[in-house]
Amino acid sequence: DVNAPLQAHATNLDASPFLGRIGLVRIHNGTLRKGQQVSWCREVDGEAVIERAKITELLVTLGVDRAPAEEAVAGDIVAVAGMSEIMIGDTLADPDNPVALPRISVDEPAISAVIGTNTSPLAGRVKGHKLTARMVKDRLDSELIGNVSLRVQDIGRPDAWEVQGRGELALAILVEQMRREGFELTVGKPQVVTRQVNGKTHEPFEHLTVDVPEEYLGAVTQLLAARKGRMEQMNNHGSGWVRMEFVVPSRGLIGFRTEFLTQTRGTGIGHSIHEGHEPWFGTLTTRNNGSLVADRAGAVTAFAMTNLQERGVLFTEPGTEVYEGMIVGENSRADDMDVNITKERKLTNVRSSTSEVLERLIPPRRLSLEQSLEFCREDECVEVTPEAVRIRKVVLDQSLRARAAARAKNRD
C-alpha cells in the first residue's frame, strides 16, 4: 500500500568503498525518499531497539548497474545508505508509527579456518604481491561490511585470524577472491565451530537433501554413513532418480562435495541447510592415507618422481620448486613419509644396457583450492599465492616434527 506508513525490510547487504555498508531493502508499504528521516528497527544483543536514521543515498537498479533516485514506492527493491550497522532482518519504518516486520534470521557460522600471512620460504618471490598482516586484516575487515555470514575472531596472534563462515565453500570463495587480488595467505584446515550446552560440547548439524540416479543409491548411502550421516527419508519417484534426506554433522560435509560428485559421475545434486546443534558425535575419519613430505629444498626432478610414484600419488611436476615441509603427494600408507623429490641421476662414463630404458611418468594430480582445503590434516595448512596453491606442514622442520610426534605418542 503506497499510502500506508512506511515499512521496508532489509533482505540483503552490499558494500561500497564510498558509501560503506549498503542495505538492499524491499518496500512493503509507503514511500521511501532520499534524505528522509526513518525509524530503524533492529536488534542489539538480542533486544529490539528503535533508532532514528537518515537515508543519505537511495539507489535503484537499472540493468546491471545502480543509479541514484529521489524516491521509491511500495513494491520496489532498492539500495539505501546511511546506516553503517544495518543487518539482514532490520526494518525501516515511519517515525510516527514504527512497526517492525517479522525478523529474518541469519544462520550461525558452522565452519572456521585460520587465515594469516604467508610464512613459507617461497613468500614474496613475485613483486607486487600483498604480504603484510596489515593488508590482510584490512581486507578481512572490508569483507565484513557486506558479508554478514562471516565473522573474524582474534586468536592472539598478530599475523593470523580465525574466520568463521556458513560452510567450507564460503571460506574457499573468500580465499579465492583474495588470491585473485594479489594476496599471499596461509590457510589452516577448516574446523567446526562448537558451543557448550549444559557443560557438554555440541556441534552444528546440517539437513542434507540429495537427488541421485538409482544406480548410485548404495554408493551415496555408504559415503554418508562413513561421515556419521543419519537417513531421515527416502523417496523413489519412479523416474530413475531417488531423493534422500540426511541429518549429518557439519564437519562431515568438509570434503563431501568432491567425493559426492566423483561417486555419482557428476550427476548428483545436493543441498544442505542448518538443522541445529546436537552433542558431539565422536571421531570422524575422512582421510586414511598419509602425506609425502619433501625433506629438502630444490627443484623436482623426473628421476626422483619415477622412483616415488610407486609410493603414492604425486601432486608436483618436474621442475617445480619445493621446500622442506612441503607436501608433494599422498602416501599409499597411513603414515607420513619424508622423501627426497629433488634427487638427480648420477652421471658416469660407464655404459649400461638398461640406461636407455624409458620409464613412464604418471601425470600428477592437480588439486584446486577447495580440494587442497579438503585434503589438509590438523598439522597441515594451505599456502595460497596468485601463482600457485601448495599444501605444507605447519612445522616445516623435519626434526621438530619428529620430536613433537614422539612426545604425543608418549602422552598417549
Side-chain angles (χ1 to χ4, degrees):
D1 186 358
V2 178
N3 299 319
L6 173 65
Q7 281 184 311
H9 218 178
T11 57
N12 208 342
L13 297 180
D14 201 354
S16 165
F18 306 106
L19 300 173
R21 178 173 288 187
I22 296 174
L24 304 181
V25 301
R26 176 179 295 169
I27 304 175
H28 288 257
N29 295 304
T31 303
L32 191 62
R33 297 180 180 85
K34 180 179 178 180
Q36 179 180 349
Q37 292 283 343
V38 297
S39 288
W40 176 19
C41 306
R42 64 189 191 117
E43 277 191 4
V44 178
D45 297 331
E47 296 184 1
V49 176
I50 299 178
E51 299 179 6
R52 285 293 183 99
K54 181 181 179 180
I55 307 298
T56 58
E57 191 64 67
L58 180 66
L59 304 171
V60 297
T61 303
L62 294 178
V64 295
D65 297 321
R66 292 197 182 114
E70 291 301 320
E71 72 171 24
V73 297
D76 292 342
I77 298 177
V78 296
V80 297
M83 291 144 285
S84 60
E85 297 180 357
I86 190 170
M87 291 289 292
I88 292 177
D90 291 355
T91 301
L92 304 182
D94 190 287
D96 299 327
N97 187 19
V99 179
L101 292 165
R103 189 164 187 83
I104 302 172
S105 62
V106 179
D107 289 340
E108 292 288 317
I111 302 294
S112 69
V114 175
I115 297 179
T117 57
N118 187 9
T119 56
S120 85
L122 300 181
R125 292 291 182 92
V126 180
K127 187 177 180 180
H129 286 182
K130 299 172 183 175
L131 304 169
T132 63
R134 179 184 59 80
M135 289 181 174
V136 176
K137 184 63 166 67
D138 289 345
R139 177 61 179 84
L140 293 175
D141 289 341
S142 66
E143 183 70 19
L144 293 177
I145 296 175
N147 192 341
V148 306
S149 65
L150 293 181
R151 293 180 185 172
V152 177
Q153 306 282 349
D154 192 0
I155 59 174
R157 288 172 51 188
D159 61 344
W161 301 267
E162 180 183 345
V163 181
Q164 301 176 353
R166 268 294 299 126
E168 174 194 15
L169 183 61
L171 299 178
I173 290 172
L174 171 63
V175 174
E176 178 64 24
Q177 287 175 340
M178 295 178 69
R179 184 182 77 86
R180 295 183 181 186
E181 293 169 10
F183 285 91
E184 290 194 15
L185 306 169
T186 300
V187 185
K189 174 181 172 59
Q191 305 281 353
V192 70
V193 179
T194 60
R195 61 168 60 169
Q196 295 293 323
V197 179
N198 297 328
K200 295 183 178 180
T201 302
H202 282 56
E203 62 175 324
F205 274 68
E206 307 280 328
H207 186 93
L208 175 68
T209 303
V210 295
D211 287 322
V212 295
E214 287 179 344
E215 58 264 32
Y216 303 124
L217 171 63
V220 174
T221 305
Q222 186 175 357
L223 177 63
L224 282 163
R227 295 169 176 268
K228 308 290 186 183
R230 184 175 70 244
M231 184 183 289
E232 298 282 310
Q233 192 173 358
M234 181 173 69
N235 294 318
N236 192 328
H237 303 293
S239 58
W241 285 71
V242 179
R243 170 167 291 183
M244 294 177 286
E245 298 182 13
F246 294 86
V247 175
V248 59
S250 295
R251 60 194 169 105
L253 295 182
I254 297 176
F256 167 75
R257 181 174 165 270
T258 303
E259 204 167 345
F260 172 65
L261 291 175
T262 302
Q263 293 282 2
T264 61
R265 306 296 188 270
T267 59
I269 303 170
H271 174 69
S272 65
I273 59 173
H274 184 62
E275 178 78 4
H277 286 72
E278 294 185 19
W280 184 262
F281 221 90
T283 306
L284 230 171
T285 303
T286 56
R287 179 181 142 207
N288 298 316
N289 296 344
S291 303
L292 298 177
V293 187
D295 64 355
R296 68 197 70 191
V300 176
T301 63
F303 176 71
M305 289 182 64
T306 304
N307 296 328
L308 288 174
Q309 61 188 6
E310 298 177 358
R311 301 282 188 176
V313 181
L314 297 178
F315 300 154
T316 57
E317 294 180 341
T320 304
E321 192 172 0
V322 299
Y323 51 86
E324 182 182 3
M326 177 175 162
I327 294 173
V328 296
E330 182 178 7
N331 194 7
S332 57
R333 300 186 178 182
D335 298 328
D336 292 341
M337 181 187 298
D338 292 293
V339 297
N340 180 9
I341 201 171
T342 64
K343 185 178 181 181
E344 296 182 350
R345 187 171 196 155
K346 296 290 188 292
L347 300 178
T348 68
N349 292 326
V350 180
R351 284 176 173 265
S352 172
S353 60
T354 60
S355 63
E356 302 301 324
V357 177
L358 294 177
E359 290 280 354
R360 181 175 177 272
L361 200 60
I362 300 174
R365 189 205 302 174
R366 296 178 178 274
L367 295 181
S368 64
L369 172 60
E370 192 177 350
Q371 289 171 332
S372 299
L373 291 173
E374 295 168 3
F375 183 83
C376 273
R377 280 182 168 171
E378 282 73 15
D379 62 338
E380 298 167 358
C381 59
V382 180
E383 176 195 351
V384 181
T385 70
E387 283 75 30
V389 176
R390 309 180 186 97
I391 309 174
R392 48 162 280 195
K393 290 291 185 180
V394 174
V395 179
L396 297 178
D397 189 270
Q398 179 182 348
S399 58
L400 293 178
R401 279 187 276 117
R403 262 179 263 160
R407 283 197 297 268
K409 190 174 181 180
N410 292 333
R411 282 199 301 267
D412 295 341

